[in-house]
Amino acid sequence: MSATSYKADLRDIKFVLFEQMKAHEQLADVPRYKDFDRDMYEAVLDMARDLSENVLSPVNKVGDREGVKLDGEGNITTPDCFKGAYKALAESGLIGASLAQEHGGQGLPHVVDIATHEMTSGAAMAFNMYPGLTRAAANLLTWPDAPAWIQALAVPKMLGGEWGGTMCLTEAGAGTSVGDNRAAAVPTADDGVYHLTGEKVFISGADQDLVSNILHMVLARTPGAPPGTKGLSMFIVPKFHFDAAGTLGARNDAKVVGIEHKMGINGSATCTLALGATGTCVGYLYGGEHQGMEIMFRMMNEARIGVGIQALGLASAAYQNALAYAKDRVQGSAVEHFRETDPPRVTINKHPDVRRNLMLMKCQVDAMRSLIYSVANRFDKTEHGDESEKEYLLGLVELMTPIVKAYCSDVSFSVCSTAVQVFGGYGYIGEYPVEQHLRDSKIMAIYEGTNGIQAMDMLGRKMRKGQGMLFMSWLDEANMELERARAIGELAEEVAGLERARDQLGQTAMHLGMVGAQGNLRGAMLQATPFLELFGTVVLGLHSLWQARVAHEALRDGATGDDGKFYRGKIANARFYMKNVIPRATAIAKAIQMGDESCLEDGLFD
Ligand SMILES: Cc1cc2nc3c(=O)[nH]c(=O)nc-3n(C[C@H](O)[C@H](O)[C@H](O)COP(=O)(O)OP(=O)(O)OC[C@H]3O[C@@H](n4cnc5c(N)ncnc54)[C@H](O)[C@@H]3O)c2cc1C
């Protein structure tokens, strides 16, 4: 591995998809995926690996160093090398891999799509923001209530790499509190056509030169709309006007007036977008007035899972880099030779402390991959068409979303930090990619709803939904996996450790439910972030156990050589996780139940 390269963990990606989840077998019965088979999925994955390692990875550092430039007309220039990379990505069909073929997509299962995104994000996260948001905007436009003429025209162009897309919620006074949005939209004599004014901030890709037109998905308030999120409507605001044939006209007055200088993702333009500041900004209403938040949530839910995929991609890239470096870097001697005058020098992967770091990274990355792919797999299973099954599956996706977005992004940041540590001083300098991974990874805890807000959403909404119904469904599935693992005698200790943590999680959930029911909402919400950490730690433990069970079965079936080593690695993951990480979950549970509220004392931070 060179100093700047990305290495996809295709062995593990294929293990999760085809050995652990058996996605190809499960999806063979789903009408939408009947024309695909394992060979086709593998071909897509191999192609995504080649593209990520050979085309996208080389633009990552350049994008970070060059950043983007804004001229006086609101035009942004991205690094030169981004253009060829964007063209190659569009030609590969990966922008719309899982969107239906009728919209210009490939119609692939979400779980395969997500695996490709793991690789493209891991190779070049900032670059991948442009196609990522474009895809999410295009997907939003495929819903039946989107304006039909825009849908038919724009979606294939977006998926084909001709047009881009953005999501525009944030304003200077309305970050977390989206309901404080002030951008205004006034109806015109033309049905569904509005004139917008206002200013959006922090908009990713609000201008760029990789595409010929951009469609902004904008939240704004119509005259007389009720306050808060209930009064928001969704508008499609083009950069250039276009007619029904797709011919571009004059520039719309939606222009970038500033860009942010950031600690990471420097190749991704983060923009202030002025609407109607010097002329007329035309927007097309999507859905009805005041339905904006409900519509935007479709995009946000997808984007939150997208952040989890970014988290996995970066964490895997950081781990692979740290592993390659540790195998190569010679420093010091083995601890048992410390007293000798000239002991043989060893590579740092021989030092126990470095091995502990590598192991922690490995078991967390592998478990995150399992979790995130399993969430995508549930989406695919909803295509079976049974409504009650669909509701059940979507409920579990809903419950896991804060863990995928928030817990995994926190874990990813910590994995990237550990990778820097494994490199020592060389991790802190620009020669190797891990310092960029660490800087790039911080944003994941902030955008798409900060992790603190995700934690409150988990505790305040998802845990309470249907009187705890989602949590109970998850618990049933967790218990089934524990039973399956118990059947493998060698996993008895791991099962017992995880069961203790599961019980603590349940008790803590009940405890916090009581705190809230007694009217102490501040006391309950104070524990939202630790609770999410507790829940996330147990969830990843369960995925680690699932993988160890599958590995045991493969070894029992006679796997040897590199395969045998791979499966033994999975078993070691689970053992390490249950003995070193799961005890932290138990400690968090105890701390939450102690109910300390000292930081809420009057006057402390006022
Ligand atoms: C690089 C980058 C790219 C972005 N891309 C986009 C984009 O494409 N589109 C878009 O619309 N936005 C985008 N954003 C905006 C991003 O989503 C917001 O920054 C984020 O929602 C937080 O809003 P804020 O920055 O105003 O922080 P604030 O809302 O001011 O929050 C500050 C802190 O207070 C906490 N907090 C706030 N309210 C509460 C509460 N009620 N209870 C508990 N804690 C609270 C938060 O968790 C946070 O820790 C981007 C931001 C960045 C930095």
Side-chain angles (χ1 to χ4, degrees):
M1 181 180 277
S2 75
T4 55
S5 67
Y6 167 75
K7 182 104 185 65
D9 194 350
L10 207 54
R11 174 68 180 93
D12 198 49
I13 289 172
K14 290 186 179 177
F15 166 78
V16 176
L17 286 175
F18 305 123
E19 296 177 62
Q20 184 189 345
M21 285 166 201
K22 299 193 184 347
H24 56 301
E25 289 173 15
Q26 283 175 13
L27 300 178
D29 293 342
V30 178
R32 182 173 162 173
Y33 305 126
K34 70 176 181 355
D35 293 335
F36 296 110
D37 59 22
R38 178 169 174 170
D39 286 347
M40 291 159 114
Y41 297 144
E42 293 214 34
V44 172
L45 297 172
D46 291 345
M47 183 266 288
R49 183 261 323 267
D50 292 346
L51 184 81
S52 301
E53 291 184 354
N54 304 325
V55 180
L56 305 187
S57 173
V59 310
N60 197 37
K61 188 171 179 177
V62 185
D64 183 54
R65 299 302 189 264
E66 282 185 24
V68 298
K69 294 178 189 68
L70 171 67
D71 71 11
E73 300 298 312
N75 301 309
I76 285 180
T77 311
T78 59
D80 250 0
C81 57
F82 275 23
K83 279 107 192 155
Y86 201 82
K87 191 163 175 286
L89 182 68
E91 283 170 1
S92 74
L94 289 184
I95 298 180
S98 66
L99 271 78
Q101 291 176 355
E102 71 199 74
H103 294 301
Q106 306 289 313
L108 281 160
H110 292 93
V111 72
V112 176
D113 180 46
I114 267 181
T116 70
H117 287 303
E118 177 200 323
M119 292 185 257
T120 53
S121 284
M125 174 180 165
F127 165 84
N128 210 49
M129 300 272 294
Y130 298 105
L133 282 158
T134 295
R135 184 219 120 91
N139 201 17
L140 185 65
L141 291 174
T142 62
W143 284 65
D145 49 344
W149 73 279
I150 298 183
Q151 179 186 93
L153 191 73
V155 175
K157 286 184 186 299
M158 294 164 93
L159 301 184
E162 262 187 85
W163 289 11
T166 71
M167 74 193 282
C168 304
L169 293 89
T170 308
E171 298 180 7
T176 298
S177 185
V178 179
D180 291 337
N181 253 268
R182 294 174 59 176
V186 180
T188 67
D190 286 343
D191 194 27
V193 180
Y194 287 66
H195 288 167
L196 279 79
T197 49
E199 195 167 88
K200 296 286 173 181
V201 301
F202 291 162
I203 304 306
S204 299
D207 194 67
Q208 40 122 325
D209 55 357
L210 306 171
V211 292
S212 59
N213 199 13
I214 298 171
L215 299 186
H216 305 290
M217 308 293 132
V218 179
L219 284 181
R221 202 175 287 286
T222 50
T229 50
K230 286 196 174 72
L232 295 173
S233 305
M234 169 71 93
F235 298 91
I236 302 160
V237 176
K239 174 179 175 181
F240 287 104
H241 295 291
F242 56 93
D243 63 20
T247 311
L248 297 186
R251 182 100 185 240
N252 195 15
D253 193 36
K255 287 192 181 153
V256 171
V257 294
I259 50 176
E260 307 299 337
H261 299 281
K262 315 189 289 284
M263 72 184 276
I265 57 165
N266 291 317
S268 169
T270 307
C271 315
T272 300
L273 181 69
L275 307 168
T278 55
T280 303
C281 172
V282 171
Y284 303 97
L285 181 68
Y286 179 151
E289 282 192 9
H290 311 160
Q291 290 176 0
M293 206 54 210
E294 185 192 323
I295 295 169
M296 188 57 101
F297 256 114
R298 300 170 187 166
M299 193 173 180
M300 281 157 65
N301 284 334
E302 177 178 347
R304 284 173 181 170
I305 302 290
V307 173
I309 303 165
Q310 289 180 326
L312 169 62
L314 270 196
S316 179
Y319 166 63
Q320 292 294 335
N321 272 286
L323 176 63
Y325 185 80
K327 285 180 182 172
D328 190 54
R329 169 75 171 164
V330 175
Q331 197 66 197
S333 56
V335 65
E336 53 273 29
H337 297 302
F338 267 174
R339 288 181 188 283
E340 295 172 17
T341 43
D342 190 19
R345 297 293 184 258
V346 297
T347 48
I348 61 170
N349 63 339
K350 300 285 188 293
H351 298 312
D353 189 60
V354 174
R355 293 177 84 88
R356 186 180 47 75
N357 280 334
L358 292 172
M359 193 73 200
L360 180 61
M361 297 164 85
K362 171 173 151 52
C363 68
Q364 288 181 318
V365 170
D366 287 5
M368 281 197 290
R369 183 171 291 115
S370 172
L371 164 66
I372 295 171
Y373 287 22
S374 75
V375 166
N377 199 20
R378 288 187 201 283
F379 263 130
D380 291 322
K381 289 189 200 159
T382 63
E383 302 282 345
H384 271 294
D386 175 336
E387 281 307 310
S388 68
E389 170 82 351
K390 189 170 173 177
E391 197 183 326
Y392 169 80
L393 291 166
L394 290 177
L396 284 168
V397 170
E398 202 186 327
L399 184 71
M400 285 300 111
T401 299
I403 294 182
V404 168
K405 192 278 170 188
Y407 182 68
C408 288
S409 62
D410 282 342
V411 169
S412 178
F413 183 68
S414 141
V415 167
C416 292
S417 172
T418 306
V420 171
Q421 201 65 25
V422 167
F423 273 78
Y426 291 92
Y428 196 72
I429 62 171
E431 186 179 346
Y432 290 95
V434 288
E435 63 86 26
Q436 185 187 344
H437 290 146
L438 182 58
R439 288 186 288 105
D440 285 353
S441 66
K442 185 58 209 169
I443 188 58
M444 298 180 304
I446 296 169
Y447 58 22
E448 296 312 333
T450 63
N451 284 3
I453 298 301
Q454 297 294 319
M456 289 166 60
D457 180 48
M458 171 61 98
L459 188 60
R461 230 167 50 84
K462 305 211 156 138
M463 290 299 292
R464 294 177 49 200
K465 193 166 175 179
Q467 290 171 329
M469 181 195 71
L470 297 184
F471 183 67
M472 295 311 288
S473 303
W474 173 82
L475 208 51
D476 285 347
E477 289 210 349
N479 289 339
M480 281 192 274
E481 183 49 46
L482 284 160
E483 282 314 310
R484 284 190 288 264
R486 201 192 310 281
I488 311 256
E490 294 97 317
L491 288 174
E493 268 191 64
E494 285 74 22
V495 170
L498 197 53
E499 278 178 336
R500 280 193 293 277
R502 173 207 58 193
D503 292 346
Q504 287 292 334
L505 173 66
Q507 280 172 27
T508 309
M510 277 175 50
H511 165 81
L512 289 175
M514 294 280 287
V515 174
Q518 285 160 3
N520 183 6
L521 289 183
R522 278 167 69 75
M525 282 306 159
L526 180 59
Q527 305 297 347
T529 291
F531 181 76
L532 186 74
E533 190 181 351
L534 162 61
F535 199 173
T537 307
V538 174
V539 166
L540 289 197
L542 203 64
H543 281 271
S544 199
L545 189 67
W546 180 7
Q547 296 201 325
R549 173 174 63 81
V550 175
H552 264 291
E553 288 162 358
L555 286 169
R556 196 187 291 155
D557 291 346
T560 53
D562 282 350
D563 277 344
K565 191 174 154 195
F566 175 84
Y567 296 125
R568 284 192 297 280
K570 289 291 181 197
I571 294 165
N573 273 357
R575 199 178 315 126
F576 181 89
Y577 197 93
M578 300 318 159
K579 301 232 161 102
N580 294 274
V581 185
I582 279 293
R584 298 182 198 173
T586 315
I588 296 169
K590 293 207 165 125
I592 293 174
Q593 290 177 43
M594 277 194 259
D596 172 53
E597 296 186 5
S598 45
C599 67
L600 297 182
E601 272 176 33
D602 280 346
L604 204 51
F605 302 111
D606 305 320

